[in-house]
Amino acid sequence: MKFNTRAIHSHHQHEKIYGAHTTPIYQTSTFIFENADQGGRRFSGEEEGFIYTRLGNPNMTEVGMRIANLEGTEKGLVTSSGMSAVSTTLMRHLSHGDHIIASDCLYGCSFGFITEVLPQYGIEVDTIDLTNEELLLNTIKDNTKVIYFETPANPTLKIIDIKKITTIAKSKGIKVVVDNTFMTPYLQSPIELGADIVIHSATKYIGGHGDVIAGIIVGKSEDINNIAFPYLKDFGGNSSPFDSWLLMRGIKTLGLRMERHCSNAQKVAEYLEKHPKIAKVYYPGLESFKGKEIADKQMRGYGGIIAFEMKDGFDAGKKLMDSVNMISLAVSLGTVDTLIQHPASMTHSPIPKEEREKGGITDGLVRLSIGIEDVEDILNDLDNALKK
Ligand SMILES: Cc1ncc(COP(=O)(O)O)c(C=O)c1O
């Protein structure tokens, strides 16, 4: 079956007692065993079945398996947030004395977790420009266990060649973890390009409606089982039945929404690029975009996120953010409505200024998450705000 059909039908857990059409919310913390022997068998793994919602729940299984299917892999987990997906995956794969190479442009809290938290556990960290192959080869050491990146990256949309990185990593036995939040499985398939594990902030496009915080981890069953037990189980960063149910509702319209996010964003990016008050627009669908060639190779669309710099720098950007009307001044992204925010003082403020600038996140950069409203209304709102 094709993507949109799988987004609606794959791994649907048919409810047998009342014949409910959609999956009910299994809002229960624990599950009853038929007898003590069965409880023992479930704990030992001899028998499949649910035990306790922190260890698994039908709503969580359904979402994890559906996203795994859409990403072209075997198994998935739903976590309490995108950061839980990032931290649980990395803690599973790194121990004292290991080394991780991460991209120099990442979502602020991911960058903070990797550069500030991991070293406290004796893990060595290098953040580098992963578009520079020679630099990557020179940074890899005998103890390098993980290469971690986002592509397109938050917030500059920096594009990293997934196939190139996974080919180098495979030859050296290094795991590649890709954050596919900006693209979703509808627009990019890192696993097909050799990545071992894909994570998402499902808070964004997968949920899609701005009403849930959640994360996803998908990969081969063996890798996912090793993250689930004991890491997710004992760190306790799993999702909840209701949040998973909300995600499932979002997933069914993912393809439709992504098509509209892409077409709206393309029009807005082209409008901004021509505007006399804008100095530079970063959007992979523009001919002027630096990573366009690789984007065209590995992406099936350019997504809904645009970053840009105003000619008059941060003060002009601030005035613009304070002047929009329909568009909300808010962090997060991937919601049905359009959002605007300032990475340097908001989402990427955990990164020191010097490091931010190394990753291309200047003080003047403004980020737009284009929604699925009628594009004329987005353009009108921006036009009026730019006039001010
Ligand atoms: C690319 C990316 N990864 C991970 C996260 C963290 O996700 P969450 O806020 O759901 O914890 C975010 C949040 O903005 C993000 O943009």
Side-chain angles (χ1 to χ4, degrees), residues 21 71 80 180-181 183 186 194 211 214 217 240 261 303 338 380:
H21 173 228
E71 288 281 5
S80 58
N180 202 23
T181 299
M183 285 285 95
Y186 188 69
D211 48 17
I217 311 169
S240 72
H261 283 295
T338 301
N380 275 340

Side-chain angles (χ1 to χ4, degrees), residues 81-84 86 107 110 148 150 154 179 181-182 199-204 213-215 332-333 347 367:
S81 66
M83 283 317 301
S84 171
V86 175
Y107 166 59
S110 302
Y148 180 90
E150 299 166 6
N154 187 355
D179 181 334
T181 299
F182 271 35
I199 61 146
H200 286 275
S201 168
T203 312
K204 311 299 181 332
I213 297 279
S332 200
L333 57 98
T347 47
R367 191 189 74 191

Side-chain angles (χ1 to χ4, degrees), residues 13-191:
Q13 307 276 309
H14 289 282
E15 188 275 311
K16 300 272 169 41
I17 300 175
Y18 298 110
H21 173 228
T22 57
T23 307
I25 306 169
Y26 290 91
Q27 194 69 30
T28 181
S29 47
T30 196
F31 294 82
I32 298 168
F33 306 128
E34 279 167 12
N35 50 50
D37 280 346
Q38 187 190 48
R41 287 196 303 276
R42 292 229 176 135
F43 267 89
S44 70
E46 263 173 83
E47 180 184 304
E48 285 207 6
F50 295 102
I51 297 173
Y52 181 65
T53 282
R54 178 162 49 76
L55 282 56
N57 175 290
N59 295 106
M60 282 144 55
T61 301
E62 192 180 51
V63 171
M65 293 308 289
R66 192 164 300 180
I67 296 290
N69 176 295
L70 297 177
E71 288 281 5
T73 188
E74 295 171 0
K75 198 164 180 180
L77 299 168
V78 195
T79 57
S80 58
S81 66
M83 283 317 301
S84 171
V86 175
S87 56
T88 309
T89 301
L90 293 182
M91 290 304 271
R92 155 69 186 103
H93 287 101
L94 295 161
S95 308
H96 190 275
D98 290 342
H99 175 231
I100 175 173
I101 299 175
S103 168
D104 59 2
C105 184
L106 293 174
Y107 166 59
C109 295
S110 302
F111 193 93
F113 177 76
I114 290 169
T115 59
E116 282 168 36
V117 178
L118 291 181
Q120 290 177 32
Y121 293 88
I123 294 156
E124 288 178 61
V125 176
D126 274 304
T127 56
I128 63 164
D129 175 6
L130 282 174
T131 64
N132 182 338
E133 191 177 340
E134 202 185 321
L135 179 62
L136 172 62
L137 288 169
N138 290 336
T139 310
I140 291 174
K141 308 186 204 181
D142 290 345
N143 58 344
T144 306
K145 293 284 161 55
V146 174
I147 298 177
Y148 180 90
F149 58 95
E150 299 166 6
T151 181
N154 187 355
T156 61
L157 287 305
K158 178 175 186 166
I159 305 287
I160 292 163
D161 189 329
I162 303 174
K163 184 86 195 158
K164 198 175 259 181
I165 304 281
T166 59
T167 306
I168 294 171
K170 277 218 160 55
S171 71
K172 301 187 183 287
I174 300 168
K175 290 259 183 210
V176 175
V177 181
V178 178
D179 181 334
N180 202 23
T181 299
F182 271 35
M183 285 285 95
T184 81
Y186 188 69
L187 298 177
Q188 180 169 268
S189 306
I191 297 216

Side-chain angles (χ1 to χ4, degrees), residues 296-326:
D296 284 341
K297 213 173 60 178
Q298 66 189 23
M299 290 153 49
R300 295 182 284 275
Y302 303 117
I305 310 299
I306 301 170
F308 61 95
E309 282 177 48
M310 304 281 298
K311 276 197 184 140
D312 288 338
F314 175 55
D315 287 342
K318 203 164 150 197
K319 185 125 196 238
L320 173 73
M321 287 184 275
D322 287 339
S323 303
V324 287
N325 182 25
M326 177 198 77

